[in-house]
Amino acid sequence: MPKVVNESSGLTYQVVRGTFLTHNDGGGRPTLYEIDRRGRLLDSIVVTGAANVDWEDMAQQDSTVLFVGDFGNNQNNRRDLSIYRIDLKPTVQVIPLPFHFADQTAFPPPRSRRNFDMEAMVWYRDSLHLFSKNRSLRNRFVRLYKLPSRPEPAVAGKSALEPQDSIYSRAMVTGAAVSPDYRTLALLTYGKILLFSIQSNQLTLRYPKQCIRLPRGQTEAVAFVSETDMVVTNERGKLYLITRK
């Protein structure tokens, strides 16, 4: 990838154009970068009105609506977690969706309970689904939280997210994606992709079905390009095409 994308942390596939949108990790510019399959830079979109405190993942509803998660929380002490809803057409408009975890009562909690870092998000059926990075050495459960993807002006304050599901995993989750046919959920970790079946229109962690091992490198973002093919980016500026059997 180009040097301007020095720490790719989120990724979506633009079907119509056959390109990808990505962004840098925390501290980078609030900018989306369009790249082709060879990693060449095609365009840059400045997200005016947004700050990149710790951007960690992207999700898309369709070709005109994107979501960027400013929810990186390495120390588990942030009180300003938010997701930016970005409407690309007719002009770029940004709506923040602030939230907090209903089950977090200390900032930070004791080290054994630090499971509120977040690096993975998908859009599915009018909701955003977030997956914790399970940093705690004792509490190795990936937790799934859910947030409506449409802003609700009548509701004052931040959304309080309750855990919806969880699964034990020693690997830390760094990215997520849903297949184009909405039948498979992919959770990216350092060195693996964990695949889950989506059944009865419910996105849960109850139906694991495959584990794919990856090349070495700090893999941070994943996107489906077809039902069988995924693209993964890492913090060394590399793109990988992964085909599952």
Side-chain angles (χ1 to χ4, degrees):
M1 288 180 287
K3 290 183 179 180
V4 68
V5 186
N6 56 15
E7 199 173 2
S8 173
S9 188
L11 190 71
T12 61
Y13 179 58
Q14 309 302 297
V15 177
V16 175
R17 293 174 58 84
T19 60
F20 300 92
L21 287 176
T22 186
H23 61 74
N24 285 323
D25 205 337
R29 295 179 179 178
T31 303
L32 307 179
Y33 301 99
E34 184 180 16
I35 59 175
D36 65 15
R37 289 181 178 235
R38 295 184 178 275
R40 293 173 295 200
L41 182 65
L42 303 177
D43 197 5
S44 299
I45 303 172
V46 178
V47 185
T48 304
N52 185 350
V53 178
D54 198 350
W55 287 12
E56 288 293 355
D57 205 5
M58 295 176 63
Q60 66 178 0
Q61 176 177 318
D62 51 41
S63 61
T64 64
V65 180
L66 302 172
F67 301 90
V68 174
D70 191 353
F71 44 47
N73 193 16
N74 292 355
Q75 304 303 317
N76 282 224
N77 59 359
R78 285 187 64 182
R79 295 176 182 265
D80 59 346
L81 302 173
S82 183
I83 297 169
Y84 292 109
R85 177 190 170 106
I86 305 171
D87 294 274
L88 297 176
K89 294 181 179 180
T91 58
V92 178
Q93 295 183 345
V94 180
I95 301 173
L97 305 174
F99 70 90
H100 69 277
F101 300 110
D103 52 333
Q104 182 174 7
T105 58
F107 299 83
R111 290 188 178 276
S112 61
R113 298 180 183 177
R114 292 188 184 181
N115 200 1
F116 300 101
D117 188 17
M118 199 70 55
E119 292 194 10
M121 171 179 64
V122 299
W123 179 91
Y124 179 74
R125 296 180 65 85
D126 289 329
S127 292
L128 294 165
H129 296 72
L130 285 61
F131 304 88
S132 68
K133 195 176 180 180
N134 59 319
R135 282 183 175 276
S136 170
L137 296 178
R138 297 180 183 178
N139 185 10
R140 301 312 298 264
F141 282 86
V142 177
R143 291 179 182 167
L144 165 61
Y145 296 86
K146 189 176 177 181
L147 174 69
S149 60
R150 295 182 180 273
E152 300 179 11
V155 178
K158 302 177 182 178
S159 297
L161 308 191
E162 297 278 359
Q164 305 292 310
D165 200 359
S166 65
I167 189 171
Y168 180 85
S169 174
R170 294 189 63 83
M172 292 189 291
V173 175
T174 61
V178 171
S179 61
D181 60 4
Y182 298 107
R183 297 177 62 183
T184 303
L185 165 69
L187 295 185
L188 178 67
T189 72
Y190 296 136
K192 298 177 183 178
I193 300 176
L194 309 176
L195 299 178
F196 298 81
S197 294
I198 300 175
Q199 300 184 16
S200 303
N201 293 326
Q202 297 292 320
L203 196 154
T204 72
L205 300 172
R206 300 173 191 170
Y207 307 107
K209 66 177 184 179
Q210 191 177 359
C211 174
I212 301 173
R213 296 187 179 275
L214 299 177
R216 294 182 180 180
Q218 190 167 333
T219 48
E220 292 283 346
V222 59
F224 278 92
V225 295
S226 71
E227 275 69 33
T228 58
D229 293 354
M230 292 167 279
V231 167
V232 169
T233 63
N234 68 11
E235 292 193 343
R236 297 178 182 175
K238 301 296 184 181
L239 286 163
Y240 294 93
L241 177 65
I242 311 295
T243 299
R244 65 187 179 98
K245 298 181 180 179

